[in-house]
Amino acid sequence: RFAPGQFVWLNLGHSPFSLTEHPFSISSAPAGLPRIAFTIKESGDFTNRIGEIAVGTRAYLDGPHGNFTLAGRAAKGIVCIAGGVGFAPIMSILRQLKAERSPLPVRLIYGNRIEGQILYRDEIEAFRETLDFGVHYVLSEPPTGWTGLAGELTPDVIGKCLDAIGEGEWLFFVCGPPPMMNSVERALLARGIPQSRIISERFRYD
């Protein structure tokens, strides 16, 4: 059992008592259990080899851990702000909201370097069919003809995404590389959003 947005320590192919384990956010939703899924970017010593692991290899999960969840928090709306692979726990939250047919308005601000890095784009667009949902894709290196927002997740870009909503009593979930998270949190605080309504969780991706 887990809450959407939580992570586990993943141990692949080792003894359950081994210290060889890595933290990964769950990208599937509790509604999808017993299936559980992760979205893992090849970016470190372990993740660069994960594609070589044979189907059927035994995996051990230690968890769930983390407080990057809606559990126990009241909100009139939800804004999810993700950068790169930090989208994984946010996808878990969005999938569960869809499964529950949540009436809350939900907005996604999703930053990447190039368009090809946007994960689950078709599924994201399909959220509109079930949820009161809107999305802003932001690319730091947009292709010719790109009609979305361009640049980093700066205060100016964040402002363009948020100006159309009433931010009172909304919750803001922020996940991505630490520099991006620091910048976004400063931008939200500068807009007068209380720290208590900004939910983030930091760990080193590997």
Side-chain angles (χ1 to χ4, degrees), residues 16-204:
F17 307 105
S18 170
L19 296 179
T20 306
E21 56 184 9
H22 304 267
F24 290 106
S25 294
I26 303 167
S27 59
S28 54
L33 286 170
R35 178 181 179 270
I36 187 167
F38 303 90
T39 301
I40 299 174
K41 180 181 180 180
E42 294 182 345
S43 62
D45 290 342
F46 170 68
T47 56
N48 282 341
R49 299 192 309 273
I50 199 165
E52 302 168 7
I53 295 171
V55 173
T57 299
R58 187 177 297 275
Y60 298 94
L61 305 182
D62 175 358
H65 301 288
N67 196 38
F68 191 72
T69 71
L70 275 167
R73 296 185 167 106
K76 289 188 176 180
I78 300 167
V79 176
C80 298
I81 306 175
V85 76
F87 184 58
I90 285 175
M91 193 61 178
S92 177
I93 292 171
L94 295 175
R95 284 170 166 162
Q96 186 66 20
L97 290 171
K98 176 188 175 183
E100 296 173 353
R101 304 188 73 87
S102 172
L104 291 175
V106 181
R107 302 293 179 263
L108 171 64
I109 305 169
Y110 184 14
N112 281 288
R113 184 174 61 85
I114 60 174
E115 190 172 9
Q117 292 175 333
I118 298 173
L119 300 172
Y120 306 113
R121 191 167 185 176
D122 290 344
E123 188 175 355
I124 291 171
E125 295 297 331
F127 286 139
R128 304 179 196 270
E129 300 169 8
T130 307
L131 301 171
D132 175 356
F133 180 77
V135 57
H136 293 278
Y137 301 108
V138 184
L139 300 180
S140 58
E141 297 179 15
T144 302
W146 174 253
T147 58
L149 292 170
E152 306 289 342
L153 293 177
T154 60
D156 180 57
V157 169
I158 295 294
K160 289 177 181 177
C161 298
L162 297 183
D163 283 346
I165 71 170
E167 298 154 23
E169 299 185 48
W170 285 55
L171 286 177
F172 295 79
F173 287 84
V174 182
C175 194
M180 165 256 163
M181 293 179 67
N182 293 337
S183 174
V184 168
E185 288 176 353
R186 286 194 297 268
L188 295 177
L189 291 171
R191 292 180 67 88
I193 296 166
Q195 182 72 58
S196 62
R197 306 203 70 79
I198 303 172
I199 297 94
S200 58
E201 194 159 58
R202 287 170 167 78
F203 59 87
R204 182 169 160 266

